């Protein structure tokens, strides 16, 4: 598992100047300026210019990314061209369905830039393995639950029963290719208990963090995807136990009443890295 801190990934409309300015001081790990769903067709050009200006100006506390329009729209290539000019470091691509899309976008990115692919169509679920192994600038997979639910025709479920196979599959694909795995959004902004439960479910499945649609969701997401005090204490105990002289050469030892192996030592180190 990667040690990147991507607990909270907040979408903000690039067309909203106040939201863009506010993003500079938010404590989300990643802020994504959205050029796609949050922007009406007649405002696409203006939003693109605003996103490019924000990237060029810098000064953001969170890591900054931009979600472009799809390459099958009239705006996608123009988005990429504008963002390449200002050296955007993170691009989020919607509705990625094939590795060819990953390759096409990679060709437009500045050197060293990262690409996160949104998995939000039935076809993408069936080609997820090929997408994950596409290489290029691909650095993360994001589950797009709203579009996916619409396309699949699934009904509402508090525990996301229809999505459970895809939650597990996306994490498995990400881990296989050392990619970040970002869970989908939670739509009910005022339901803090529901958000906390869904974020806990996402972490249980192995996601690194969660996509968000409102600043009020940042703190619960950061808490859910941060190691607890008890987890940190156990990780420290595992590392200390394996560092003891009596553990030299042993593949498994007893720590706090449980048997742990060398793989748990690797997990403990990764957990402490994520804890900062």
């Amino acid at each position: 598992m990667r040690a990147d801190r991507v607990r909270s990934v907040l979408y903000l409309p690039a067309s909203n100047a106040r939201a863009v300015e506010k993003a500079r001081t938010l404590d989300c790990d990643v802020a994504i300026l959205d050029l796609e769903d949050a922007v009406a067709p007649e405002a696409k050009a203006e939003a693109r210019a605003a996103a490019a200006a924000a990237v060029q100006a810098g000064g953001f506390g969170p890591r900054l990314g931009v979600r472009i329009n799809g390459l099958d729209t009239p705006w996608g290539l123009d988005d990429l061209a504008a963002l390449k000019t200002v050296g955007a470091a993170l691009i989020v691509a919607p509705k990625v369905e094939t590795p060819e899309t990953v390759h096409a976008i990679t060709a437009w990115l500045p050197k060293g830039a990262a690409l996160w692919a949104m998995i939000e169509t039935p076809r993408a679920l069936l080609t997820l393995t090929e997408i994950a192994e596409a290489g290029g600038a691909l650095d993360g997979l994001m589950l797009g639950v709203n579009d996916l639910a619409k396309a699949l025709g699934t009904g509402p479920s508090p525990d996301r029963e229809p999505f459970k196979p895809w939650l597990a599959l996306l994490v498995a694909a990400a881990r296989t290719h050392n990619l970040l795995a970002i869970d989908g959004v939670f739509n009910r902004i005022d339901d803090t208990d529901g958000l906390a439960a869904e974020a806990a479910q996402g972490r249980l499945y192995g996601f690194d963090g969660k996509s968000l649609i409102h600043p009020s969701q940042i703190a619960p997401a950061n808490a859910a995807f941060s190691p607890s005090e008890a987890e940190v204490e156990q990780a420290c105990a595992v590392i200390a136990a394996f560092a003891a002289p009596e553990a030299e050469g042993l593949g498994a030892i007893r720590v706090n009443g449980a048997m742990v192996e060398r793989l748990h030592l690797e997990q403990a180190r990764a957990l402490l890295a994520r804890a900062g």
Side-chain angles (χ1 to χ4, degrees), residues 35 44 48 67-70 73 75-84:
L35 301 178
K44 295 289 188 183
R48 179 189 307 123
R67 178 164 72 170
I68 63 171
N69 291 281
T73 71
W75 312 287
L77 287 179
D78 288 339
D79 292 344
L80 285 173
L83 295 169
K84 182 177 183 178

Side-chain angles (χ1 to χ4, degrees), residues 177-235:
H177 297 284
N178 195 33
L179 305 173
L180 293 166
I182 311 300
D183 198 1
V185 300
F186 183 79
N187 296 311
R188 299 188 298 278
I189 295 173
D190 296 329
D191 185 1
T192 54
D193 290 340
L195 171 63
E198 190 169 288
Q201 181 194 50
R203 187 180 178 203
L204 178 65
Y205 270 77
F207 283 92
D208 296 292
K210 190 164 186 62
S211 304
L212 311 175
I213 57 174
H214 193 273
S216 65
Q217 297 178 325
I218 296 173
N222 284 347
F225 288 95
S226 295
S228 67
E229 184 176 337
E231 289 173 317
V232 170
E233 290 177 355
Q234 177 65 10

Side-chain angles (χ1 to χ4, degrees), residues 12-86:
L12 303 124
S15 55
N16 186 327
R18 274 186 69 187
V20 173
E21 189 59 31
K22 186 175 182 180
R24 297 180 184 279
T25 59
L26 294 175
D27 58 354
C28 54
D29 292 324
V30 183
I32 303 294
L33 305 183
D34 190 17
L35 301 178
E36 194 212 14
D37 287 345
V39 179
E42 61 272 17
K44 295 289 188 183
E46 180 182 354
R48 179 189 307 123
V55 170
Q56 191 167 38
F60 287 82
R63 180 182 181 187
L64 184 64
V66 181
R67 178 164 72 170
I68 63 171
N69 291 281
L71 297 188
D72 60 345
T73 71
W75 312 287
L77 287 179
D78 288 339
D79 292 344
L80 285 173
L83 295 169
K84 182 177 183 178
T85 300
V86 296

